[in-house]
């Protein structure tokens, strides 16, 4: 998710997008106007009014350097614009929205290029930097969540290539049916037809929720379990760990798979905002929502209420399972209130028209792989060591008496 996106104006200075809530004027970390990008006075405390216009509660793991963003790293130009979803054919029987789908594998083919990336995120298209030099410019490196992400990034051999995540089983074969070598266009048309149905049947009813969740995924999850910064600061930081680690992971995977957004191939999907200026696969919302849920379920008191029930129709009082079934493999729903929320957050991105169903499933499976490797030391050739994450989990567990 993107870092805070305020437009702090120093004393007559130009506006820049800050990288978090800093002291003084502007949204930069003590840098005056924005991230020090202004041309006027604004150093240190700054002299201007820097209230900014951004969403200051960003997830801290995206880059918000020099540009104003909204809706999950989406340029402000692609902000919300309503469409009337009247699905009735016109008098001549023509469909209400353009039904045409472009084959991305014609000719040279369509894939996400460097120019398609948001300018502030293009560093993800470079060879992976285990030091996260560029990413750290947009976050607060003093937070435990950022240290956890740096520990994860420092061990790239187990997760930074397509060959590795696929051989680890973090991505399942059905997640990749959209690729040219696996069937390609036939699978894509099936997925776009599903998105068209969601657009016609669901989008209008869910739109307020979809819009709120674009930048507030973590808030939905914390609210769902009744956690607050005042009473559960380490639980909030555990969610931040999920955001930070998940962002580093899925942005790397997006840069490898380079999948174009559904509305690139079918403009008639008409997403009311966006799509975000980074590739589609895997879905960031799906990855984060499932990974955060798995981390929260490491807290026994949360697992006892929001964990996995034996069957969907279990009678009241049925014991919650202590282990997850097959670590989220496959595509079937999981009988867990918290993982239900994860799936809903992911599905809403499909209702919006910015993700294919396989993006969502890949995010679910990758989240499971991350969780197994980081928390339980399984699912990789060499366990990925992340002592800070485990420390935060222990502190969070102590906030919830069993």
């Amino acid at each position: 998710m993107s870092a805070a996106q305020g437009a702090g104006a120093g004393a007559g200075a130009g506006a820049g997008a800050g990288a978090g809530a800093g002291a003084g004027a502007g949204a930069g970390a003590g840098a005056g106007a924005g991230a020090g990008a202004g041309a006027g006075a604004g150093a240190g405390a700054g002299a201007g009014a820097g209230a900014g216009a951004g969403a200051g509660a960003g997830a801290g793991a995206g880059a918000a350097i020099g540009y104003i963003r909204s809706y999950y790293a989406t340029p402000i130009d692609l902000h919300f614009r309503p469409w009337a979803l009247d699905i009735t054919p016109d008098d001549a029987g023509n469909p209400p929205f353009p039904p045409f789908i472009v084959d991305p594998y014609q000719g040279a083919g369509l894939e996400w290029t460097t120019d398609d990336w948001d300018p502030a995120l293009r560093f993800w298209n470079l060879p992976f930097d285990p030091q996260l030099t560029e990413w750290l410019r947009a976050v607060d490196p003093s937070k435990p969540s950022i240290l956890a992400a740096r520990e994860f990034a420092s061990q790239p051999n187990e997760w930074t290539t397509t060959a590795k995540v696929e051989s680890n089983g973090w991505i399942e074969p059905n997640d990749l049916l959209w690729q040219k070598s696996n069937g390609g266009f036939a699978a894509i048309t099936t997925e776009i037809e599903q998105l068209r149905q969601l657009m016609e049947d669901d989008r209008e009813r869910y739109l307020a929720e979809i819009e709120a969740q674009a930048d507030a995924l973590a808030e939905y999850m914390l609210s769902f379990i009744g956690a607050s910064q005042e009473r559960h600061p380490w639980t909030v930081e555990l969610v931040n760990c999920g955001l930070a680690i998940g962002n580093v992971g899925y942005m790397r995977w997006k840069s490898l798979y380079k999948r174009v957004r559904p509305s690139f191939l079918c403009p008639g999907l008409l997403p009311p905002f966006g799509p975000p200026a980074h590739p589609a696969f895997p879905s960031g919302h799906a990855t984060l929502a499932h990974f955060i849920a798995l981390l929260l379920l490491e807290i026994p008191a949360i697992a006892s209420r929001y964990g996995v029930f034996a069957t969907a129709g279990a009678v009241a009082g049925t014991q919650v399972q202590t282990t997850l079934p097959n670590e989220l493999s496959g595509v079937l729903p999981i009988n867990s209130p918290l993982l239900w929320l994860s799936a809903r957050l992911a599905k809403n991105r499909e209702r919006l028209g910015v993700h294919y169903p396989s993006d969502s499933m890949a995010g679910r499976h990758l989240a499971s792989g991350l969780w197994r490797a980081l928390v339980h030391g399984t699912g990789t050739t060499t366990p990925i060591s992340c002592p800070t994450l485990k420390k935060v989990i222990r502190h969070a567990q102590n906030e919830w008496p069993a």
Side-chain angles (χ1 to χ4, degrees), residues 41-308:
I65 305 169
Y67 294 85
I68 301 173
R69 282 172 190 74
S70 66
Y71 296 132
Y72 198 47
T74 298
I76 198 66
D77 314 69
L78 303 181
H79 60 77
F80 180 83
R81 291 180 174 86
W83 289 94
L85 294 180
D86 182 353
I87 62 173
T88 307
D90 66 16
D91 293 342
N94 296 312
F97 301 106
F100 314 108
I101 304 174
V102 174
D103 183 350
Y105 303 121
Q106 288 180 340
L110 287 175
E111 65 176 22
W112 207 269
T113 68
T114 300
D115 287 344
D116 295 322
W117 282 81
D118 185 304
L121 299 177
R122 286 177 185 164
F123 66 88
W124 288 112
N125 216 33
L126 299 172
F128 184 73
D129 172 19
Q131 305 302 317
L132 299 177
T133 305
E134 290 295 326
W135 180 75
L136 287 172
R137 294 185 183 186
V139 297
D140 180 354
S142 69
K143 291 182 176 294
S145 54
I146 304 306
L147 179 57
R150 295 178 73 181
E151 291 169 353
F152 167 61
S154 70
Q155 302 160 81
N157 292 338
E158 295 300 327
W159 64 273
T160 56
T161 66
T162 57
K164 199 65 180 179
V165 294
E166 291 168 23
S167 65
N168 284 343
W170 291 18
I171 285 183
E172 298 184 3
N174 284 346
D175 300 337
L176 299 172
L177 292 179
W178 58 273
Q179 291 186 320
K180 186 176 183 179
S181 59
N182 295 331
F185 189 52
I188 291 170
T189 54
T190 298
E191 290 200 90
I192 287 181
E193 183 54 37
Q194 293 176 43
L195 297 186
R196 211 159 17 208
Q197 289 297 316
L198 289 172
M199 169 189 172
E200 294 179 359
D201 297 343
D202 287 5
R203 185 185 293 171
E204 196 161 48
R205 290 183 294 122
Y206 284 84
L207 190 53
E209 180 182 332
I210 291 169
E211 185 180 15
Q213 288 171 356
D215 290 317
L217 176 150
E219 294 175 22
Y220 266 78
M221 302 194 79
L222 288 167
S223 174
F224 191 67
I225 62 171
S228 65
Q229 179 68 47
E230 180 181 8
R231 294 187 57 209
H232 308 98
W234 283 105
T235 304
V236 173
E237 191 60 19
L238 180 59
V239 170
N240 287 335
C241 285
L243 291 170
I245 294 170
N247 269 280
V248 171
Y250 78 70
M251 277 297 188
R252 171 60 178 172
W253 298 320
K254 283 176 180 287
S255 74
L256 298 174
Y257 286 100
K258 303 179 181 179
R259 189 180 193 183
V260 296
R261 297 279 177 171
S263 58
F264 280 41
L265 304 183
C266 182
L269 287 172
L270 296 174
F273 57 87
H278 48 75
F281 186 94
S283 163
H285 274 71
T287 306
L288 295 176
H290 287 91
F291 185 46
I292 290 170
L294 291 169
L295 293 178
L296 290 172
L297 291 175
E298 292 292 325
I299 301 172
I302 293 179
S304 68
R305 296 165 57 199
Y306 300 93
V308 180

Side-chain angles (χ1 to χ4, degrees), residues 351-385:
R351 292 181 173 114
L352 176 61
V354 299
H355 275 297
Y356 308 86
S358 56
D359 297 342
S360 300
M361 279 299 124
R364 163 174 155 170
H365 300 146
L366 286 162
S368 174
L370 277 176
W371 167 71
R372 284 183 285 126
L374 291 165
V375 180
H376 298 283
T378 61
T380 53
T381 307
T382 304
I384 300 177
S385 175

